[in-house]
Amino acid sequence: MLGHVAELLRRPTTFLERASEVGDVVSIRLGPRRAVLVNSPELMMQVLHSDVGHWAKGLAYEKARPMIGNGIVGLSGAEHRKQRRLIQPAFRTAKIEQYSLIMRDVARTHMTRWREGETIDAWKEFNSIALEIVAKALFSADMSASAVRDVQASLPVVLRGIQRRFVMPPAVQKIPTPEGRRYARALELLHSTIARIISRRVNADIAQDDVLSALLSAVDPETGESMSAQQVHDEVVTLLSAGSETVATALSWAAFELGRRPDVQQKLQNEVQSVLCGRAPRLADIANLPYTEMVLNEAMRMYPPLFLATRCPRMNTVLGGYEVEEGSMIILSFHGLHHNPRVYSSPQTFDPERWRSTPADTLPRGAFIPFSVGPSSCIGSGFARAEAVIVLATLAQHWTLGTQDSDSVTPLARTVLTPDRLRIRLQPAACDASKG
């Protein structure tokens, strides 16, 4: 009756990796419904770039609708293009340079609170850092400590509930379970918290140099239209959730592998010390930190934050030589793609050196897409990459990591691929920037 649901929930990465070994197009069952897993770079590009107009976003985005509303990640076609035009100015390079000061200061403040010999919950710590960064970029100083706590408490519950609803039959979702009631309460708390912040900004009628003000003042250059109040709300919730979870996931898995690979960690620390000489990283430094980016690329290859996405064909089509009927469920397995042995040699090995050459030089187009690709690629990918490099460089300046849990860490299939637990032991870096 459950089909492959139990395997996908209990061992998501193992299941998706096994499927990628079977072939580029793999049929599975989610309960009574048939779904098609896509694992190849060519077919990813067909769906996400070449034939993008043939596909609706699909079930995963419909299940997320109670949280994101009509936020950009759930839109397609003309609606998506319009929202992208309105939001894009908030993520131009000049803006990211401004936000990079927030990234630097938040990371440094958090990490100087840690203590030698302490064991931290890496996922919790990086999630807290990423949430504070995106909150300050979104709201400047408008997000109080209590609002941050409310979002930190509600967002994981909502994301877990959305993931469960993706594989849960509609009839089961209507049963008033304790988990369902927790999800409903968390969803209400998340929306009410964001609504209060936006309302205060609008009523104060004071423009800030942040993302929220950019959204409130955005005008579509083609139509002259602005966003409605509800659209601004939906975009803020979308950016807050996506902006914190994805970066926290990438950093957590990078820390996990660094703790297991002292040789990689030492090379990373050597590069950071050589380039920064003890000062805090800036956006301009990223170009001079290639190994730091290689470590992040490999972490996002092995544990892609966006590990799957759904699409639904608007018409009968052919995918990898197979006929796919209109309305079918298509699952784009980014995790399977990144572990496809026909694309990557030794895909289970954490090897930053594989990125010594750029992906365009060594891989088929569409083989490495941690932030998706094409018109629906993540609008904040530049922000996220800058944040991840700056936070990781700051970490390497201050601390040497040891992984306490080692191989016992299990990836969990939420809306992103999070570790079930990740305890990291801290020792000062050989040249701790806080003591320079």
Side-chain angles (χ1 to χ4, degrees):
M1 290 180 64
L2 292 176
H4 295 98
V5 166
E7 281 189 87
L8 189 56
L9 286 176
R10 285 200 303 262
R11 294 179 293 273
T13 55
T14 302
F15 177 75
L16 295 173
E17 288 161 19
R18 285 173 49 210
S20 74
E21 295 171 0
V22 172
D24 293 340
V25 184
V26 180
S27 178
I28 64 172
R29 280 196 309 111
L30 299 179
R33 186 171 183 178
R34 178 175 170 270
V36 177
L37 275 174
V38 174
N39 300 300
S40 81
E42 297 80 12
L43 297 180
M44 292 283 183
M45 291 302 295
Q46 178 185 335
V47 175
L48 295 171
H49 194 272
S50 303
D51 298 338
V52 65
H54 295 175
W55 308 87
K57 285 295 182 76
L59 184 63
Y61 299 92
E62 290 305 314
K63 295 297 183 183
R65 193 74 64 189
M67 180 180 78
I68 64 173
N70 285 320
I72 189 171
V73 299
L75 300 177
S76 57
E79 287 182 313
H80 182 273
R81 290 192 295 274
K82 176 186 174 183
Q83 279 306 107
R84 199 172 184 96
R85 289 194 301 269
L86 286 164
I87 297 171
Q88 190 68 64
F91 292 99
R92 288 176 177 154
T93 302
K95 285 290 187 181
I96 294 176
E97 187 164 3
Q98 171 190 324
Y99 304 144
S100 71
L101 304 180
I102 297 172
M103 301 167 188
R104 176 198 68 189
D105 294 343
V106 170
R108 193 177 180 95
T109 299
H110 273 258
M111 292 176 193
T112 53
R113 293 178 190 147
W114 299 345
R115 294 292 176 261
E116 179 178 351
E118 181 181 9
T119 298
I120 62 169
D121 180 333
W123 164 248
K124 181 179 177 181
E125 291 292 332
F126 286 124
N127 196 48
S128 179
I129 289 171
L131 180 58
E132 185 174 343
I133 288 171
V134 74
K136 287 187 173 181
L138 276 166
F139 308 122
S140 295
D142 284 353
M143 196 167 187
S144 65
S146 62
V148 171
R149 288 194 297 271
D150 287 342
V151 172
Q152 286 177 322
S154 60
L155 191 55
V157 178
V158 173
L159 293 173
R160 185 164 58 249
I162 290 171
Q163 183 272 334
R164 289 183 178 276
R165 281 155 179 75
F166 171 60
V167 296
M168 191 184 297
V172 177
Q173 295 178 33
K174 297 178 181 178
I175 300 173
T177 63
E179 185 276 332
R181 289 192 289 270
R182 284 194 295 272
Y183 167 76
R185 289 194 299 268
L187 187 64
E188 170 58 29
L189 178 60
L190 178 64
H191 281 304
S192 62
T193 301
I194 300 307
R196 284 196 303 272
I197 295 171
I198 296 174
S199 177
R200 281 200 301 268
R201 174 67 62 83
V202 171
N203 291 335
D205 195 25
I206 299 174
Q208 301 277 4
D209 196 10
D210 57 18
V211 176
L212 177 55
S213 285
L215 297 180
L216 289 169
S217 62
V219 177
D220 186 345
E222 294 188 11
T223 66
E225 297 177 356
S226 301
M227 290 190 216
S228 67
Q230 184 60 53
Q231 191 67 55
V232 171
H233 177 101
D234 293 345
E235 298 301 353
V236 166
V237 173
T238 299
L239 293 170
L240 189 64
S241 57
S244 57
E245 291 276 308
T246 54
V247 175
T249 299
L251 289 167
S252 296
W253 289 117
F256 170 63
E257 292 293 347
L258 289 172
R260 301 201 300 175
R261 292 288 303 276
D263 57 325
V264 173
Q265 185 165 196
Q266 187 62 60
K267 288 183 71 173
L268 172 66
Q269 290 175 326
N270 289 346
E271 176 183 81
V272 169
Q273 173 57 22
S274 174
V275 172
L276 300 180
C277 300
R279 64 173 172 77
R282 300 188 295 258
L283 185 67
D285 294 316
I286 292 177
N288 299 315
L289 295 170
Y291 194 74
T292 307
E293 288 201 274
M294 288 161 60
V295 169
L296 281 167
N297 278 345
E298 186 66 350
M300 291 191 292
R301 182 196 68 80
M302 288 197 70
Y303 314 95
L306 180 65
F307 70 104
L308 59 79
T310 60
R311 289 296 186 271
C312 178
R314 303 179 191 274
M315 61 194 78
N316 294 345
T317 189
V318 175
L319 197 58
Y322 296 93
E323 292 186 6
V324 179
E325 294 182 355
E326 176 185 354
S328 300
M329 184 192 296
I330 307 299
I331 299 177
L332 304 175
S333 175
F334 300 121
H335 187 86
L337 169 68
H338 290 176
H339 289 78
N340 189 328
R342 297 179 295 283
V343 178
Y344 292 97
S345 62
S346 304
Q348 303 301 331
T349 301
F350 184 82
D351 179 19
E353 293 295 334
R354 74 171 78 239
W355 302 105
R356 186 64 69 180
S357 300
T358 62
D361 296 334
T362 58
L363 295 172
R365 192 166 175 238
F368 180 61
I369 45 176
F371 298 102
S372 192
V373 69
S376 293
S377 61
C378 174
I379 196 167
S381 60
F383 180 105
R385 278 191 170 276
E387 178 184 353
V389 173
I390 287 172
V391 174
L392 187 60
T394 305
L395 178 69
Q397 285 183 312
H398 291 278
W399 298 105
T400 297
L401 312 179
T403 306
Q404 198 168 69
D405 296 308
S406 191
D407 294 330
S408 64
V409 177
T410 301
L412 298 178
R414 306 299 189 218
T415 52
V416 293
L417 198 64
T418 63
D420 62 338
R421 62 175 184 174
L422 183 50
R423 295 175 296 176
I424 298 290
R425 294 191 308 274
L426 300 172
Q427 294 298 329
C431 186
D432 184 350
S434 68
K435 298 172 183 174

